[in-house]
Amino acid sequence: MPSRSLVRVMLVGAGIVVAALLVFAAYRHLTARPEPQTLPPDFDPRNYVRGGAQLDAPYLVTDYDVVDAMLSMAQVRPGDFVVDLGSGDGRILIAAAKSHGARGLGVDIDPARVREATQNAETAGVARRVEFRREDLFQTPIAEADVVTLYLTPEVNVRLRPRILSQMRPGARVVSHDYDMGDWRADQRERIGTATVFLWIVPARLGGRWTMTIGGQTLPLEFQQHYQQLHGVLGSARVEQGVVSGPRVRFVASVGGVRRVFEGRLDGNAIVPVAADAGWRAVRAG
């Protein structure tokens, strides 16, 4: 029989071999390269990040002095319905409700901002007057808004411009912190510290053919409109200095060799003079 010393040596050697094999196997496992995975072509890692809402504009807060200037420039009044597209922490609508007596709807794509704004409105005691919800601002109804407030980006403002012009009523106001609307010139702009506030008054849509009755005669009237600016033809005379502000219009044209100033307002499918005794009226043709 082998001696006890020899058995002990053999056991120790076997243990060393087993330990070495285990170390080698662990090394192979740790250094093994994983099999590559094929990702779908439309894979976007932002869709798999918790809370990773895709924003149309970065979240930046508006200083309170700028908020006050925006609401004052837009002449927010008691009962006005204010829509804030990209409402963040809700400060614009809360100020509109608390200081001006307005109602409001704020939308934001980030649910954390919606929760924060809702809590802020409750704390300010205006939760019954304003609502915040998670929504794509390009889907938010704006036809009933008296005022729309924005702090977005120039690109998003321009994308919103067609909806504003086609859906909002003439005379509604749009106010933006820092960013304009491209070639739609602002009706008013104001510098507040390092910020700029822009105001637009949604113009009546007057482009097209009209028929004017004046002094016992009927004349064709045609307008070409570029935002607030109008030009065109009345009879055989040019329409000049045409300006639209909300539902009101002013232009100059010659009738019977006499140069006249026409001031009116849109009333359904008619333009009626501001002065009751002006003696003219235009109705949309066709």
Side-chain angles (χ1 to χ4, degrees):
M1 294 182 62
S3 66
R4 292 183 179 179
S5 297
L6 179 58
V7 172
R8 189 178 298 114
V9 170
M10 291 175 64
L11 291 175
V12 170
I16 293 172
V17 171
V18 171
L21 290 173
L22 290 173
V23 170
F24 179 72
Y27 174 78
R28 287 290 301 274
H29 175 74
L30 292 174
T31 59
R33 300 179 64 177
E35 291 295 325
Q37 296 182 0
T38 301
L39 298 177
D42 59 347
F43 175 77
D44 186 343
R46 291 175 298 179
N47 295 331
Y48 298 89
V49 177
R50 184 178 180 85
Q54 299 185 40
L55 307 180
D56 291 302
Y59 172 55
L60 299 171
V61 298
T62 299
D63 291 339
Y64 284 107
D65 56 346
V66 178
V67 171
D68 290 341
M70 293 173 71
L71 298 176
S72 296
M73 188 179 291
Q75 298 183 7
V76 175
R77 299 179 286 268
D80 275 353
F81 181 48
V82 182
V83 175
D84 187 12
L85 300 179
S87 49
D89 64 6
R91 63 180 61 193
I92 292 177
L93 286 187
I94 291 170
K98 200 167 184 66
S99 300
H100 298 263
R103 301 173 296 114
L105 168 66
V107 300
D108 204 293
I109 199 66
D110 188 342
R113 299 281 76 80
V114 173
R115 290 192 296 270
E116 180 183 12
T118 300
Q119 181 59 57
N120 290 341
E122 292 176 356
T123 301
V126 295
R128 292 186 177 182
R129 302 189 65 83
V130 297
E131 174 192 358
F132 297 95
R133 65 189 187 211
R134 186 185 183 191
E135 189 170 84
D136 181 344
L137 58 85
F138 292 102
Q139 303 299 321
T140 301
I142 57 175
E144 300 302 319
D146 298 295
V147 177
V148 164
T149 59
L150 310 170
Y151 186 19
L152 301 168
T153 69
E155 296 78 14
V156 174
N157 279 10
V158 169
R159 288 176 60 195
L160 283 169
R161 187 177 65 195
R163 295 187 65 231
I164 290 170
L165 289 166
S166 65
Q167 296 181 19
M168 295 184 71
R169 61 173 179 78
R173 291 90 70 198
V174 179
V175 63
S176 174
H177 177 186
D178 271 350
Y179 303 116
D180 63 15
M181 290 267 186
D183 65 344
W184 182 13
R185 177 179 52 82
D187 292 288
Q188 186 178 343
R189 61 187 293 169
E190 183 177 345
R191 192 76 174 170
I192 309 295
T194 60
T196 302
V197 177
F198 298 88
L199 171 73
W200 296 265
I201 299 173
V202 177
R205 294 174 284 280
L206 300 178
R209 294 182 296 112
W210 299 76
T211 300
M212 177 179 283
T213 303
I214 179 171
Q217 59 181 321
T218 300
L219 298 173
L221 170 63
E222 185 168 353
F223 287 133
Q224 289 83 46
Q225 182 172 356
H226 184 69
Y227 305 120
Q228 308 99 319
Q229 300 175 340
L230 277 183
H231 65 279
V233 178
L234 174 59
S236 58
R238 288 194 308 166
V239 170
E240 301 174 345
Q241 303 176 33
V243 178
V244 186
S245 179
R248 299 191 63 156
V249 58
R250 182 186 187 278
F251 63 93
V252 177
S254 294
V255 178
V258 179
R259 190 172 174 84
R260 294 189 54 167
V261 176
F262 296 87
E263 294 185 83
R265 59 180 176 81
L266 182 67
D267 183 9
N269 285 320
I271 301 174
V272 297
V274 174
D277 59 351
W280 64 271
R281 178 183 174 90
V283 294
R284 203 179 288 274

